[in-house]
Structure formats: structure tokens, C-alpha cells
Amino acid sequence: IPALATEPRFAQRLREHLEAEQLLDKRYQMQEVPGGRVALPVLEEKLSLLSLPQEMPCGLVRIQDPIPSRALRRRTPAQRLRDELRRLLGESWSEELERDVPRAWQRHGDLVLLSEDNLRAAPWEQLGPALWETVASALGARRLARRGRVLPGGMRSPSVTLLLGQDPWVEHVDNGIRYTFDVTKCMFSPGNITEKLRVASLPCAGEVLVDLYAGIGYFTLPYLVHAAAAFAHACEWNSHAVEALRRNLVLNGVQDRCCVHHGDSRELELQDVADRVNLGLIPSSEEGWPVACRVLKKATGGVLHIHHNVEALPAGSSPDGEAQHPVESGGKEKQRVRIRPEWKRWAEATAARIQGLLAELHGQPWHTTILHIEAVKSYAPHVHHLVLDLECRPTLL
């Protein structure tokens, strides 16, 4: 940034002069520069108006690493971004443009992923590369990307455009687990962090896991790294996700305890191997239920973690009211969570369906027990992403 450098004894007088002329850039502090001088930041867009007082020896310099003012440090990143963009546009600024400024975003290492609706108005395009450089600087990023609509199809591929930078591979850390992926080819859902934390706390020592919809390892890795599963079979049909999954297994040092099955999990040839099966697909994992029943160990059974989106009536409109059930929180503490009647009916229907599939597959009766219903997150209107923990055991004849 431009600044006026002078001797320390003239600093206060120079500051008063710049403030009076409305030339002082208050976003940054006065700081020392070579030669025993101090420099006061000046607004670049007003350099043409700068007139130097004769009685104060000073000169124009450029500061490469300006120190933010205390007021600037107190502002949120969203406020800093708005102020920087407003300064960049000057008189072209409007309320419409302010509504177009990002207020939330995803951060993956040094890359910030903006929402699909941000910075779309026509005036932004006129700024060219300066726009993205300003946004990145205000948000403390080196690379920028913008999310588009999720492309149709079972793979739920993202539509992401790089705005600043060339390398689309990013790294994200959750609960001590490192995930790397190509942000233009793979989706990352931060809303599932509570379920990943819960999975990490499950007692899986010595168990074999089958993850039917592994993605880049969202749940496979917590099972292996924190829950101490002995081995995992990770199934995924998206080749971009498989590439990221293999990298992530190596990144976290668990590649020797996992076999990756690239292809449609409905055609998986495994059977009689699993103590635990993860079915992390929404809005429904129902197509994977027969496979999950087949891979469970015939002699001892195991636990299914079944993801599903369940629609419930608005609060207060259910004729059955809401039941209170104790639910595990983080594997240690108990808390009271409202289990809606629709959730309970879905869980009971699922348990009955799985019980029938197991009996048909093995030619003998099985019993199923609902261990837990976890509400991961909600979607409007009144749709909740749930996980049913269902224990499945063969009945001794």
C-alpha cells in the first residue's frame, strides 16, 4: 500500500495533516520502515490529491506487508470483505451489490468456496481479476472457487468453478482426520460433522466394517482412525471420489487396513464378513439394504447404520405428540432429544423390513433391535436426515 515516510518526531503532525485532508488510510497502523523512519498509510485512490507540507520532510513509499489497525482486526471477515469491495467499486456501490456480497462460505485449507449466488451482478464482471484478488485477500485465502448447482445423477457431482488459482485439490481437517479431494469433482458436506464425531466414538475395536457409500472416506476414516475398526471394505462408484479416498487412506496411515471396492455397491460380491455396515446415502439408502444384509456375518450378525431423509409434520401438529428418549452424545454424556412420531414409525418399519430380508436371505429367523435414532441435520420444510442404529442378530433355534 502507499504510505508517507517521515522522521518519528514529525509523525503526529503528519497524521493530523492527513486526517484533516481525509487522506489517511485508517485500515492500517503506522509502522517503522528502513532508515529509522515511520510510515503512515495513505488512501491509494486519493494519491492525486496529496500535497506535502513544506515544513515536514517526508516521501512516498510502498509497504509490502501493512499492519492492520485494531479496528480492522475486530471486524468479521464478512465485514472486511464488504468494506474492501465497497472501496473497490467506489461510487458504483449500491444496496443491490451489498446483498450480493458473501456472508458465509466454506474454507478448505487455503481455498475459499463461495456460494452459487454470490457476486453474480453485472458490475462485478467489470472488475476482472482484481475482484477475486480482493476477495481472497479479505478472506485470508490464496485460492477461490464458486459452487454451482449439483449436477443431476446418482453421483451427486458438484459444479464448481475455480476463480483464482490453478490447483483444484484441497485439504480439509475434521477431528484430526485429513481429507484431500478435488473441489471441482467431489462434494464435502460440513453438515455431517456431528455424525462423523459420533462414529468416531463408537466401540469398534476388532470389528470389520463395510461402508457401502464411502465417498472420499467421510465415515470410513473415522471408523479406522478413531473407532479402531480392525478392517474396512470401502465401496464407491465415483472414480473421482475413489482417487481421493485412496489418497486419504494414505494421508491418515490406514491404507493397510482398508480394501477399496470401485463400482456399484449393489453388485458387491462380499458376503458374511461384516460386524458393522454403514449406509451413508441420502435421501435413501434403501437400495443397499439387501447388500447390507448379505455382508453381515451369518453366525453373529452385527449393526447397521442406516441413513435416510424422513419428513415430519410441523412441531405441534402431530396427533401423537413427541416422545422423549435419552440419546448418546459423543458416546459419553446423555441428553434429551425429541424423537418425533414419524421418526419412530420409520425406524420400526425399517427394522421390520430388514428382519424380513435377513430371514429370507438366510432361511432362518433373525431379530432386530433399534439401538438409537440420530438426527444429523434438518432440511426445509420439516425433512430430517436421520441415522438408525439397528442391531441384527440371528435367532438361535
PDB file of all heavy atoms in Angstrom, residues 256-287:
ATOM      1  N   ASP A 256      -3.358 -49.895   4.904  1.00  0.00           N
ATOM      2  CA  ASP A 256      -3.199 -51.345   5.039  1.00  0.00           C
ATOM      3  C   ASP A 256      -4.395 -52.005   5.708  1.00  0.00           C
ATOM      4  O   ASP A 256      -4.481 -53.243   5.749  1.00  0.00           O
ATOM      5  CB  ASP A 256      -1.929 -51.662   5.846  1.00  0.00           C
ATOM      6  CG  ASP A 256      -0.657 -51.235   5.127  1.00  0.00           C
ATOM      7  OD1 ASP A 256      -0.700 -51.140   3.878  1.00  0.00           O
ATOM      8  OD2 ASP A 256       0.355 -50.982   5.794  1.00  0.00           O
ATOM      9  N   ARG A 257      -5.324 -51.197   6.237  1.00  0.00           N
ATOM     10  CA  ARG A 257      -6.496 -51.753   6.932  1.00  0.00           C
ATOM     11  C   ARG A 257      -7.783 -51.502   6.155  1.00  0.00           C
ATOM     12  O   ARG A 257      -8.865 -51.537   6.717  1.00  0.00           O
ATOM     13  CB  ARG A 257      -6.606 -51.148   8.340  1.00  0.00           C
ATOM     14  CG  ARG A 257      -5.486 -51.595   9.271  1.00  0.00           C
ATOM     15  CD  ARG A 257      -5.330 -50.678  10.459  1.00  0.00           C
ATOM     16  NE  ARG A 257      -6.612 -50.411  11.107  1.00  0.00           N
ATOM     17  CZ  ARG A 257      -6.891 -49.272  11.740  1.00  0.00           C
ATOM     18  NH1 ARG A 257      -6.002 -48.293  11.763  1.00  0.00           N
ATOM     19  NH2 ARG A 257      -8.060 -49.099  12.325  1.00  0.00           N
ATOM     20  N   CYS A 258      -7.658 -51.223   4.868  1.00  0.00           N
ATOM     21  CA  CYS A 258      -8.852 -50.932   4.082  1.00  0.00           C
ATOM     22  C   CYS A 258      -8.707 -51.477   2.670  1.00  0.00           C
ATOM     23  O   CYS A 258      -7.653 -51.331   2.048  1.00  0.00           O
ATOM     24  CB  CYS A 258      -9.106 -49.430   4.032  1.00  0.00           C
ATOM     25  SG  CYS A 258     -10.631 -48.965   3.171  1.00  0.00           S
ATOM     26  N   CYS A 259      -9.772 -52.084   2.183  1.00  0.00           N
ATOM     27  CA  CYS A 259      -9.849 -52.529   0.788  1.00  0.00           C
ATOM     28  C   CYS A 259     -10.896 -51.669   0.088  1.00  0.00           C
ATOM     29  O   CYS A 259     -12.046 -51.594   0.536  1.00  0.00           O
ATOM     30  CB  CYS A 259     -10.241 -54.001   0.722  1.00  0.00           C
ATOM     31  SG  CYS A 259     -10.450 -54.628  -0.968  1.00  0.00           S
ATOM     32  N   VAL A 260     -10.502 -51.013  -1.005  1.00  0.00           N
ATOM     33  CA  VAL A 260     -11.410 -50.150  -1.748  1.00  0.00           C
ATOM     34  C   VAL A 260     -12.053 -50.959  -2.878  1.00  0.00           C
ATOM     35  O   VAL A 260     -11.354 -51.583  -3.679  1.00  0.00           O
ATOM     36  CB  VAL A 260     -10.665 -48.926  -2.321  1.00  0.00           C
ATOM     37  CG1 VAL A 260     -11.623 -48.073  -3.154  1.00  0.00           C
ATOM     38  CG2 VAL A 260     -10.056 -48.097  -1.193  1.00  0.00           C
ATOM     39  N   HIS A 261     -13.378 -50.937  -2.939  1.00  0.00           N
ATOM     40  CA  HIS A 261     -14.132 -51.627  -3.991  1.00  0.00           C
ATOM     41  C   HIS A 261     -14.729 -50.565  -4.902  1.00  0.00           C
ATOM     42  O   HIS A 261     -15.679 -49.876  -4.527  1.00  0.00           O
ATOM     43  CB  HIS A 261     -15.236 -52.491  -3.383  1.00  0.00           C
ATOM     44  CG  HIS A 261     -14.737 -53.531  -2.434  1.00  0.00           C
ATOM     45  ND1 HIS A 261     -14.485 -54.830  -2.820  1.00  0.00           N
ATOM     46  CD2 HIS A 261     -14.432 -53.466  -1.104  1.00  0.00           C
ATOM     47  CE1 HIS A 261     -14.048 -55.524  -1.777  1.00  0.00           C
ATOM     48  NE2 HIS A 261     -14.014 -54.716  -0.719  1.00  0.00           N
ATOM     49  N   HIS A 262     -14.160 -50.412  -6.092  1.00  0.00           N
ATOM     50  CA  HIS A 262     -14.602 -49.390  -7.031  1.00  0.00           C
ATOM     51  C   HIS A 262     -15.695 -49.971  -7.911  1.00  0.00           C
ATOM     52  O   HIS A 262     -15.449 -50.867  -8.721  1.00  0.00           O
ATOM     53  CB  HIS A 262     -13.415 -48.922  -7.881  1.00  0.00           C
ATOM     54  CG  HIS A 262     -13.769 -47.811  -8.829  1.00  0.00           C
ATOM     55  ND1 HIS A 262     -12.929 -47.388  -9.827  1.00  0.00           N
ATOM     56  CD2 HIS A 262     -14.888 -47.042  -8.936  1.00  0.00           C
ATOM     57  CE1 HIS A 262     -13.501 -46.403 -10.500  1.00  0.00           C
ATOM     58  NE2 HIS A 262     -14.693 -46.181  -9.984  1.00  0.00           N
ATOM     59  N   GLY A 263     -16.910 -49.473  -7.761  1.00  0.00           N
ATOM     60  CA  GLY A 263     -18.019 -49.951  -8.559  1.00  0.00           C
ATOM     61  C   GLY A 263     -19.336 -49.794  -7.830  1.00  0.00           C
ATOM     62  O   GLY A 263     -19.396 -49.220  -6.739  1.00  0.00           O
ATOM     63  N   ASP A 264     -20.393 -50.286  -8.420  1.00  0.00           N
ATOM     64  CA  ASP A 264     -21.739 -50.204  -7.865  1.00  0.00           C
ATOM     65  C   ASP A 264     -21.841 -51.135  -6.662  1.00  0.00           C
ATOM     66  O   ASP A 264     -21.640 -52.351  -6.794  1.00  0.00           O
ATOM     67  CB  ASP A 264     -22.748 -50.606  -8.948  1.00  0.00           C
ATOM     68  CG  ASP A 264     -24.184 -50.296  -8.548  1.00  0.00           C
ATOM     69  OD1 ASP A 264     -24.480 -50.258  -7.341  1.00  0.00           O
ATOM     70  OD2 ASP A 264     -25.016 -50.100  -9.460  1.00  0.00           O
ATOM     71  N   SER A 265     -22.159 -50.584  -5.508  1.00  0.00           N
ATOM     72  CA  SER A 265     -22.208 -51.407  -4.285  1.00  0.00           C
ATOM     73  C   SER A 265     -23.305 -52.464  -4.361  1.00  0.00           C
ATOM     74  O   SER A 265     -23.238 -53.476  -3.654  1.00  0.00           O
ATOM     75  CB  SER A 265     -22.424 -50.517  -3.058  1.00  0.00           C
ATOM     76  OG  SER A 265     -23.654 -49.824  -3.139  1.00  0.00           O
ATOM     77  N   ARG A 266     -24.296 -52.266  -5.211  1.00  0.00           N
ATOM     78  CA  ARG A 266     -25.351 -53.273  -5.356  1.00  0.00           C
ATOM     79  C   ARG A 266     -24.814 -54.555  -5.993  1.00  0.00           C
ATOM     80  O   ARG A 266     -25.448 -55.618  -5.895  1.00  0.00           O
ATOM     81  CB  ARG A 266     -26.505 -52.714  -6.195  1.00  0.00           C
ATOM     82  CG  ARG A 266     -27.288 -51.611  -5.501  1.00  0.00           C
ATOM     83  CD  ARG A 266     -28.255 -50.927  -6.447  1.00  0.00           C
ATOM     84  NE  ARG A 266     -27.540 -50.220  -7.527  1.00  0.00           N
ATOM     85  CZ  ARG A 266     -28.131 -49.420  -8.397  1.00  0.00           C
ATOM     86  NH1 ARG A 266     -29.451 -49.224  -8.330  1.00  0.00           N
ATOM     87  NH2 ARG A 266     -27.437 -48.815  -9.345  1.00  0.00           N
ATOM     88  N   GLU A 267     -23.664 -54.468  -6.640  1.00  0.00           N
ATOM     89  CA  GLU A 267     -23.044 -55.630  -7.278  1.00  0.00           C
ATOM     90  C   GLU A 267     -21.847 -56.147  -6.481  1.00  0.00           C
ATOM     91  O   GLU A 267     -21.065 -56.958  -6.971  1.00  0.00           O
ATOM     92  CB  GLU A 267     -22.615 -55.259  -8.699  1.00  0.00           C
ATOM     93  CG  GLU A 267     -23.774 -54.803  -9.578  1.00  0.00           C
ATOM     94  CD  GLU A 267     -23.325 -54.276 -10.929  1.00  0.00           C
ATOM     95  OE1 GLU A 267     -22.102 -54.311 -11.193  1.00  0.00           O
ATOM     96  OE2 GLU A 267     -24.187 -53.815 -11.702  1.00  0.00           O
ATOM     97  N   LEU A 268     -21.724 -55.696  -5.259  1.00  0.00           N
ATOM     98  CA  LEU A 268     -20.614 -56.116  -4.397  1.00  0.00           C
ATOM     99  C   LEU A 268     -20.681 -57.623  -4.150  1.00  0.00           C
ATOM    100  O   LEU A 268     -21.737 -58.160  -3.808  1.00  0.00           O
ATOM    101  CB  LEU A 268     -20.693 -55.356  -3.069  1.00  0.00           C
ATOM    102  CG  LEU A 268     -19.555 -55.554  -2.070  1.00  0.00           C
ATOM    103  CD1 LEU A 268     -18.243 -54.997  -2.620  1.00  0.00           C
ATOM    104  CD2 LEU A 268     -19.892 -54.874  -0.740  1.00  0.00           C
ATOM    105  N   GLU A 269     -19.557 -58.304  -4.305  1.00  0.00           N
ATOM    106  CA  GLU A 269     -19.536 -59.766  -4.172  1.00  0.00           C
ATOM    107  C   GLU A 269     -19.237 -60.233  -2.754  1.00  0.00           C
ATOM    108  O   GLU A 269     -19.250 -61.435  -2.486  1.00  0.00           O
ATOM    109  CB  GLU A 269     -18.505 -60.357  -5.150  1.00  0.00           C
ATOM    110  CG  GLU A 269     -18.863 -60.119  -6.617  1.00  0.00           C
ATOM    111  CD  GLU A 269     -17.875 -60.740  -7.572  1.00  0.00           C
ATOM    112  OE1 GLU A 269     -16.853 -61.306  -7.079  1.00  0.00           O
ATOM    113  OE2 GLU A 269     -18.095 -60.676  -8.793  1.00  0.00           O
ATOM    114  N   LEU A 270     -18.971 -59.321  -1.851  1.00  0.00           N
ATOM    115  CA  LEU A 270     -18.692 -59.708  -0.466  1.00  0.00           C
ATOM    116  C   LEU A 270     -19.929 -60.319   0.196  1.00  0.00           C
ATOM    117  O   LEU A 270     -21.065 -59.952  -0.112  1.00  0.00           O
ATOM    118  CB  LEU A 270     -18.259 -58.489   0.347  1.00  0.00           C
ATOM    119  CG  LEU A 270     -16.883 -57.887   0.098  1.00  0.00           C
ATOM    120  CD1 LEU A 270     -16.700 -56.654   0.977  1.00  0.00           C
ATOM    121  CD2 LEU A 270     -15.783 -58.906   0.381  1.00  0.00           C
ATOM    122  N   GLN A 271     -19.688 -61.221   1.141  1.00  0.00           N
ATOM    123  CA  GLN A 271     -20.762 -61.735   1.991  1.00  0.00           C
ATOM    124  C   GLN A 271     -20.157 -62.327   3.254  1.00  0.00           C
ATOM    125  O   GLN A 271     -19.008 -62.734   3.270  1.00  0.00           O
ATOM    126  CB  GLN A 271     -21.599 -62.791   1.259  1.00  0.00           C
ATOM    127  CG  GLN A 271     -20.823 -63.989   0.754  1.00  0.00           C
ATOM    128  CD  GLN A 271     -21.727 -64.952  -0.012  1.00  0.00           C
ATOM    129  OE1 GLN A 271     -22.945 -64.826   0.010  1.00  0.00           O
ATOM    130  NE2 GLN A 271     -21.138 -65.925  -0.691  1.00  0.00           N
ATOM    131  N   ASP A 272     -20.946 -62.300   4.328  1.00  0.00           N
ATOM    132  CA  ASP A 272     -20.558 -62.946   5.586  1.00  0.00           C
ATOM    133  C   ASP A 272     -19.220 -62.420   6.132  1.00  0.00           C
ATOM    134  O   ASP A 272     -18.367 -63.185   6.560  1.00  0.00           O
ATOM    135  CB  ASP A 272     -20.474 -64.468   5.374  1.00  0.00           C
ATOM    136  CG  ASP A 272     -20.320 -65.246   6.680  1.00  0.00           C
ATOM    137  OD1 ASP A 272     -20.703 -64.714   7.741  1.00  0.00           O
ATOM    138  OD2 ASP A 272     -19.802 -66.382   6.632  1.00  0.00           O
ATOM    139  N   VAL A 273     -19.018 -61.082   6.094  1.00  0.00           N
ATOM    140  CA  VAL A 273     -17.735 -60.541   6.559  1.00  0.00           C
ATOM    141  C   VAL A 273     -17.872 -59.441   7.614  1.00  0.00           C
ATOM    142  O   VAL A 273     -16.927 -59.173   8.356  1.00  0.00           O
ATOM    143  CB  VAL A 273     -16.909 -59.964   5.384  1.00  0.00           C
ATOM    144  CG1 VAL A 273     -16.538 -61.052   4.388  1.00  0.00           C
ATOM    145  CG2 VAL A 273     -17.646 -58.828   4.702  1.00  0.00           C
ATOM    146  N   ALA A 274     -19.029 -58.812   7.709  1.00  0.00           N
ATOM    147  CA  ALA A 274     -19.113 -57.543   8.449  1.00  0.00           C
ATOM    148  C   ALA A 274     -19.709 -57.685   9.845  1.00  0.00           C
ATOM    149  O   ALA A 274     -20.709 -58.384  10.054  1.00  0.00           O
ATOM    150  CB  ALA A 274     -19.932 -56.534   7.657  1.00  0.00           C
ATOM    151  N   ASP A 275     -19.083 -56.983  10.775  1.00  0.00           N
ATOM    152  CA  ASP A 275     -19.673 -56.782  12.105  1.00  0.00           C
ATOM    153  C   ASP A 275     -20.525 -55.515  12.121  1.00  0.00           C
ATOM    154  O   ASP A 275     -21.388 -55.358  12.985  1.00  0.00           O
ATOM    155  CB  ASP A 275     -18.566 -56.629  13.161  1.00  0.00           C
ATOM    156  CG  ASP A 275     -17.661 -57.837  13.234  1.00  0.00           C
ATOM    157  OD1 ASP A 275     -18.125 -58.889  13.700  1.00  0.00           O
ATOM    158  OD2 ASP A 275     -16.493 -57.723  12.811  1.00  0.00           O
ATOM    159  N   ARG A 276     -20.246 -54.632  11.154  1.00  0.00           N
ATOM    160  CA  ARG A 276     -20.922 -53.330  11.134  1.00  0.00           C
ATOM    161  C   ARG A 276     -20.982 -52.860   9.676  1.00  0.00           C
ATOM    162  O   ARG A 276     -20.025 -53.010   8.929  1.00  0.00           O
ATOM    163  CB  ARG A 276     -20.128 -52.329  11.984  1.00  0.00           C
ATOM    164  CG  ARG A 276     -20.871 -51.069  12.386  1.00  0.00           C
ATOM    165  CD  ARG A 276     -19.998 -50.232  13.314  1.00  0.00           C
ATOM    166  NE  ARG A 276     -19.761 -50.859  14.585  1.00  0.00           N
ATOM    167  CZ  ARG A 276     -20.487 -50.658  15.677  1.00  0.00           C
ATOM    168  NH1 ARG A 276     -21.514 -49.825  15.635  1.00  0.00           N
ATOM    169  NH2 ARG A 276     -20.197 -51.261  16.808  1.00  0.00           N
ATOM    170  N   VAL A 277     -22.138 -52.276   9.294  1.00  0.00           N
ATOM    171  CA  VAL A 277     -22.310 -51.779   7.933  1.00  0.00           C
ATOM    172  C   VAL A 277     -22.798 -50.340   8.000  1.00  0.00           C
ATOM    173  O   VAL A 277     -23.761 -50.034   8.707  1.00  0.00           O
ATOM    174  CB  VAL A 277     -23.320 -52.631   7.127  1.00  0.00           C
ATOM    175  CG1 VAL A 277     -23.411 -52.112   5.685  1.00  0.00           C
ATOM    176  CG2 VAL A 277     -22.938 -54.102   7.147  1.00  0.00           C
ATOM    177  N   ASN A 278     -22.125 -49.473   7.252  1.00  0.00           N
ATOM    178  CA  ASN A 278     -22.526 -48.063   7.176  1.00  0.00           C
ATOM    179  C   ASN A 278     -23.217 -47.820   5.839  1.00  0.00           C
ATOM    180  O   ASN A 278     -22.666 -48.111   4.779  1.00  0.00           O
ATOM    181  CB  ASN A 278     -21.300 -47.158   7.306  1.00  0.00           C
ATOM    182  CG  ASN A 278     -21.681 -45.724   7.617  1.00  0.00           C
ATOM    183  OD1 ASN A 278     -22.105 -45.425   8.738  1.00  0.00           O
ATOM    184  ND2 ASN A 278     -21.542 -44.836   6.655  1.00  0.00           N
ATOM    185  N   LEU A 279     -24.468 -47.276   5.912  1.00  0.00           N
ATOM    186  CA  LEU A 279     -25.237 -46.986   4.705  1.00  0.00           C
ATOM    187  C   LEU A 279     -25.497 -45.487   4.645  1.00  0.00           C
ATOM    188  O   LEU A 279     -26.607 -45.012   4.888  1.00  0.00           O
ATOM    189  CB  LEU A 279     -26.562 -47.763   4.711  1.00  0.00           C
ATOM    190  CG  LEU A 279     -26.416 -49.296   4.680  1.00  0.00           C
ATOM    191  CD1 LEU A 279     -26.790 -49.881   6.045  1.00  0.00           C
ATOM    192  CD2 LEU A 279     -27.290 -49.901   3.597  1.00  0.00           C
ATOM    193  N   GLY A 280     -24.447 -44.718   4.351  1.00  0.00           N
ATOM    194  CA  GLY A 280     -24.497 -43.262   4.429  1.00  0.00           C
ATOM    195  C   GLY A 280     -24.949 -42.588   3.158  1.00  0.00           C
ATOM    196  O   GLY A 280     -24.241 -41.696   2.660  1.00  0.00           O
ATOM    197  N   LEU A 281     -26.093 -42.972   2.616  1.00  0.00           N
ATOM    198  CA  LEU A 281     -26.599 -42.368   1.391  1.00  0.00           C
ATOM    199  C   LEU A 281     -27.964 -41.735   1.663  1.00  0.00           C
ATOM    200  O   LEU A 281     -28.845 -42.380   2.236  1.00  0.00           O
ATOM    201  CB  LEU A 281     -26.733 -43.416   0.287  1.00  0.00           C
ATOM    202  CG  LEU A 281     -27.236 -42.909  -1.064  1.00  0.00           C
ATOM    203  CD1 LEU A 281     -26.216 -41.975  -1.705  1.00  0.00           C
ATOM    204  CD2 LEU A 281     -27.544 -44.085  -1.995  1.00  0.00           C
ATOM    205  N   ILE A 282     -28.123 -40.478   1.263  1.00  0.00           N
ATOM    206  CA  ILE A 282     -29.423 -39.822   1.355  1.00  0.00           C
ATOM    207  C   ILE A 282     -29.829 -39.338  -0.038  1.00  0.00           C
ATOM    208  O   ILE A 282     -28.965 -39.153  -0.896  1.00  0.00           O
ATOM    209  CB  ILE A 282     -29.390 -38.639   2.369  1.00  0.00           C
ATOM    210  CG1 ILE A 282     -28.293 -37.639   1.996  1.00  0.00           C
ATOM    211  CG2 ILE A 282     -29.231 -39.137   3.778  1.00  0.00           C
ATOM    212  CD1 ILE A 282     -28.302 -36.381   2.823  1.00  0.00           C
ATOM    213  N   PRO A 283     -31.112 -39.196  -0.312  1.00  0.00           N
ATOM    214  CA  PRO A 283     -32.224 -39.226   0.638  1.00  0.00           C
ATOM    215  C   PRO A 283     -32.600 -40.606   1.141  1.00  0.00           C
ATOM    216  O   PRO A 283     -33.333 -40.725   2.122  1.00  0.00           O
ATOM    217  CB  PRO A 283     -33.371 -38.614  -0.167  1.00  0.00           C
ATOM    218  CG  PRO A 283     -33.042 -38.922  -1.585  1.00  0.00           C
ATOM    219  CD  PRO A 283     -31.558 -38.829  -1.672  1.00  0.00           C
ATOM    220  N   SER A 284     -32.116 -41.689   0.501  1.00  0.00           N
ATOM    221  CA  SER A 284     -32.456 -43.026   0.966  1.00  0.00           C
ATOM    222  C   SER A 284     -31.344 -43.999   0.625  1.00  0.00           C
ATOM    223  O   SER A 284     -30.759 -43.939  -0.463  1.00  0.00           O
ATOM    224  CB  SER A 284     -33.768 -43.504   0.324  1.00  0.00           C
ATOM    225  OG  SER A 284     -34.033 -44.855   0.666  1.00  0.00           O
ATOM    226  N   SER A 285     -31.062 -44.906   1.538  1.00  0.00           N
ATOM    227  CA  SER A 285     -30.074 -45.958   1.305  1.00  0.00           C
ATOM    228  C   SER A 285     -30.761 -47.307   1.084  1.00  0.00           C
ATOM    229  O   SER A 285     -30.122 -48.351   1.152  1.00  0.00           O
ATOM    230  CB  SER A 285     -29.123 -46.060   2.506  1.00  0.00           C
ATOM    231  OG  SER A 285     -29.853 -46.393   3.689  1.00  0.00           O
ATOM    232  N   GLU A 286     -32.083 -47.269   0.785  1.00  0.00           N
ATOM    233  CA  GLU A 286     -32.884 -48.489   0.731  1.00  0.00           C
ATOM    234  C   GLU A 286     -32.359 -49.501  -0.280  1.00  0.00           C
ATOM    235  O   GLU A 286     -32.426 -50.715  -0.050  1.00  0.00           O
ATOM    236  CB  GLU A 286     -34.329 -48.131   0.414  1.00  0.00           C
ATOM    237  CG  GLU A 286     -35.305 -49.281   0.594  1.00  0.00           C
ATOM    238  CD  GLU A 286     -36.755 -48.832   0.562  1.00  0.00           C
ATOM    239  OE1 GLU A 286     -36.987 -47.608   0.555  1.00  0.00           O
ATOM    240  OE2 GLU A 286     -37.638 -49.708   0.543  1.00  0.00           O
ATOM    241  N   GLU A 287     -31.814 -49.024  -1.417  1.00  0.00           N
ATOM    242  CA  GLU A 287     -31.310 -49.963  -2.413  1.00  0.00           C
ATOM    243  C   GLU A 287     -30.128 -50.775  -1.890  1.00  0.00           C
ATOM    244  O   GLU A 287     -29.799 -51.824  -2.440  1.00  0.00           O
ATOM    245  CB  GLU A 287     -30.907 -49.214  -3.684  1.00  0.00           C
ATOM    246  CG  GLU A 287     -32.086 -48.695  -4.488  1.00  0.00           C
ATOM    247  CD  GLU A 287     -31.668 -48.197  -5.860  1.00  0.00           C
ATOM    248  OE1 GLU A 287     -30.443 -48.158  -6.127  1.00  0.00           O
ATOM    249  OE2 GLU A 287     -32.548 -47.850  -6.663  1.00  0.00           O
TER     250      GLU A 287
END
